[in-house]
Each structure stands twice: as C-alpha cells, then as structure tokens.
Amino acid sequence: MTIAAPRTGPARLHLSENAHGASPLALLAAREVLDPAAVYPDPARSAPAKAVAARLGVGEHQVAVANGSDELVLLSALALGDRDRPGVTTAGTFPGYRVCLTAVGRGCEEIPLDDGRVDADAVAAAMERAGIVYICHPHNPSGAVLDRDRMDLLVERAAVTGTPLVVDEAYLEFAPAGTPQLRDYLGSGAPLLSLRTFSKAYGLAALRLGYAVGSAELVARLHEVQGTMPFSANAVAQAAAVAALADRDHLDEVRRQNSLQRAWFRSELARRGRRSLPSATNFVAVAVSDSAAAERLLAQDHDILVRDAGRFGFAGHLRVSLGPAKDLVRLMDALDLIDPVHDGP
C-alpha cells in the first residue's frame, strides 16, 4: 500500500489523520448511496450497528452508532451516571470530556497524569466520588497504553462503585496485539462503555461516524437521549462504515504500514538527538523546548501543521501525525532550525 496522495497546501501533521486513506470498498459504498440523497438516513443506524456487533462478537443492543465519537462523549455526559456528582477525567488529555461535562453542568475533576500515562490508582480512587469517569486509551496526546493490571483495577472499581467507566479507544486499532481493551471486560457486570471511531484507522474522518460498545443498560440510555437527534449519522457515513468493517485486508495493511512508519520516525528523531514518547497510535509526542512557539513557527515559517500538546495540558511536546515520510523529514529539518538539540547539560 502506498500512502494516499497529499492535498495541496500545508503538511497536515496535526489531526492524526490516516495518511493511507480509506478502503476503496468504503469509498465505493459511499458513492453509491449519494444517488438517493433526498431520502433521510436510517435513524436506528441499523446496518453499521449490526456490522459492529458482528465484528466484535457482541449483541446489537450493546452498540450505539453516532456522528463521530464526539457525539457519544456528549450523549454519555448527558445521560450516564450520577449527575449530582462531578465527572472525572485526566489532566493533559483530549479536552472534549471536560468541555462536555462542563457544558451539561456536571463539572469536571481532572486527575494529573503520571509521566504521560493515566494514573490508574488515582483514577480508581476518584471513582468513589465521581458520577462518571472518562479515560483515553491509548492516550491522546502521549500515545501511552495501560497494562492489564491497571485496566483490571479500573474495571474492578467501576463494578464496586457503580460509576460508569467510559474508555475512549479511538486509536486502539493501531495498538499492538494484546493491548487491553474494554471489550475484554464486558461480561464482568461493571458499567462500561467503549468509544470507537471510523475517523482514524478506517480513514473516514470527513464522514464523521463513531460507535459505542458497552453494558446494555448504558447503551440503552444513550439510545434514549439520541432520540433528540435521530438523523445525525448520515447515510453516506453509515454505508461507508459497513464496507470499511468488511475490508479487513485494508485495515491490516494500514496497521502494518503505520507500525513501520512509527518505528522509522522515532528512530530518525533519536538519531538527531531528539526525544519522543513511546506510542501505540498513529501519532508521536515529540519533545521540544517550547511547544506553543514551535507550533506557531512551524506553521508560519515552514508551512507545517502540528499540534501543540500544551493545548491538551501536556506542554513541552508536539503531537505529530504519522504522515508521509517526506513531510516528516521536512518537520525534523525544520525543528533542527527552530528548536535545535543541544548536547550536554
């Protein structure tokens, strides 16, 4: 597989987009649905829900499909857990959890990260006072994953406290085999909800489709509040998602190419003396002296877009998407100019 032809304009290394593109089968399915464009999409999202359930080996009643996983973050903040208690998430992560919890009036407590990783002990301890808990795994923007013992702990505390545990697994398809995932725990009886997306590994970011898989009771509550926006998942996205799920060869190749690109990029960074964090995703957190200034100078002087992780509360790092090699080389060359690595103390 070759990396999809880049668009004209700046090097886009800021949004964790899939540089390999979507499955050709998914694009064909999307085009075929455009003809009856005057017809409303299926409000039950039945086809993608069935496809997800079959792929993951769960019941359809355990799946909710929505307009991107962002919609599911908002729906879960509206509908799940004890609304009289604040939500809990980690500091230094995707801000959507805090934004949604604040917007619906629940409030948000942020647990500090432990060296760029979710502090599972501190999050578990906070469940006693939380109405709902959100964690990102693999973590955005550090790229870190939890080990099995840490995930076991969080699930056990969710079961004991009854506090819904929502795990955003947007980047899980890129993680190594054996990485803990919430699907492994759905038979535990704990109130669990996994959020997934077609925007990353499946390359359908422009179509906006995500899904939740979890405890039947939690998914039922999502379906109830989703009734306020029954047509939010458009027909093109629904058709493309079904075809994308069926094209396993394409997904396997995307994962293989991403793993090779990630290893090459981190090796090149290290060769230049630049530090980066281990990642299980399609981005790498690259250490710089001033991440806000680096983001600005890369865009202003070099036409390269990256994400200052300080926007997530994780200052001192740039989140760099694994785009085409030539763009990553451009980035490293530019960093050597604007943020040179100095040897010694």
Side-chain angles (χ1 to χ4, degrees):
M1 173 189 294
T2 58
I3 288 182
R7 304 175 184 177
T8 57
R12 295 175 59 86
L13 302 176
H14 63 314
L15 292 177
S16 306
E17 293 163 335
N18 182 345
H20 306 281
S23 159
L25 299 180
L27 298 179
L28 178 62
R31 293 186 186 104
E32 289 177 347
V33 175
L34 283 174
D35 283 342
V39 178
Y40 278 107
D42 173 15
R45 293 96 162 158
S46 301
K50 288 178 181 178
V52 166
R55 179 68 179 269
L56 299 183
V58 299
E60 291 177 40
H61 64 292
Q62 293 179 273
V63 178
V65 176
N67 182 11
S69 53
D70 293 324
E71 181 184 315
L72 292 162
V73 173
L74 178 59
L75 293 177
S76 58
L78 283 166
L80 304 185
D82 185 347
R83 288 180 53 89
D84 292 330
R85 296 182 178 184
V88 165
T89 187
T90 65
T93 194
F94 173 63
Y97 319 128
R98 171 179 48 79
V99 169
C100 289
L101 287 166
T102 302
V104 302
R106 296 181 74 150
C108 180
E109 177 185 352
E110 296 183 327
I111 306 297
L113 293 174
D114 179 12
D115 194 25
R117 298 176 178 271
V118 173
D119 187 337
D121 292 305
V123 173
M127 284 189 183
E128 194 71 48
R129 59 182 181 272
I132 189 170
V133 170
Y134 294 88
I135 65 167
C136 191
H137 177 257
H139 188 266
N140 179 14
S142 76
V145 294
L146 292 168
D147 62 25
R148 181 70 58 181
D149 289 343
R150 300 294 86 193
M151 189 66 81
D152 287 350
L153 172 63
L154 293 173
V155 172
E156 289 166 5
R157 289 306 299 165
V160 169
T161 61
T163 301
L165 173 63
V166 181
V167 181
D168 185 346
E169 297 180 323
Y171 297 95
L172 190 65
E173 283 85 1
F174 295 113
T179 300
Q181 56 183 294
L182 215 61
R183 185 183 64 175
D184 302 338
Y185 299 91
L186 291 184
S188 67
L192 306 175
L193 195 71
S194 160
L195 305 185
R196 299 283 194 95
T197 182
F198 287 94
S199 296
K200 304 304 180 185
Y202 290 101
L204 296 174
L207 300 187
R208 311 303 303 130
L209 203 76
Y211 61 94
V213 179
S215 310
E217 181 181 352
L218 298 187
V219 172
R221 287 288 297 129
L222 293 181
H223 284 150
E224 288 179 20
V225 295
Q226 203 170 38
T228 62
M229 50 185 90
F231 301 113
S232 66
N234 68 77
V236 174
Q238 292 189 45
V242 172
L245 282 170
D247 193 352
R248 299 195 183 195
D249 289 343
H250 182 83
L251 179 62
D252 288 344
E253 183 64 7
V254 166
R255 295 178 63 186
R256 188 183 74 84
Q257 293 282 358
N258 184 80
S259 180
L260 292 172
Q261 188 84 326
R262 185 171 60 209
W264 168 81
F265 182 46
R266 293 199 69 220
S267 175
E268 284 296 300
L269 287 166
R271 187 178 65 80
R272 295 174 184 235
R274 196 170 296 279
R275 190 173 66 86
S276 65
L277 300 183
S279 174
T281 69
N282 68 333
F283 60 79
V284 170
V286 180
V288 292
S289 56
D290 185 333
S291 52
E295 179 194 69
R296 184 181 69 255
L297 291 172
L298 286 168
Q300 173 184 290
D301 298 340
H302 299 275
D303 213 20
I304 299 171
L305 304 180
V306 295
R307 181 66 81 217
D308 166 21
R311 296 171 180 264
F312 299 74
F314 195 64
H317 293 83
L318 299 176
R319 191 190 69 186
V320 179
S321 308
L322 294 172
K326 66 180 184 61
D327 287 347
L328 294 173
V329 170
R330 277 181 60 197
L331 166 76
M332 291 185 283
D333 290 345
L335 283 176
D336 289 345
L337 293 174
I338 68 172
D339 187 58
V341 176
H342 298 288
D343 295 329

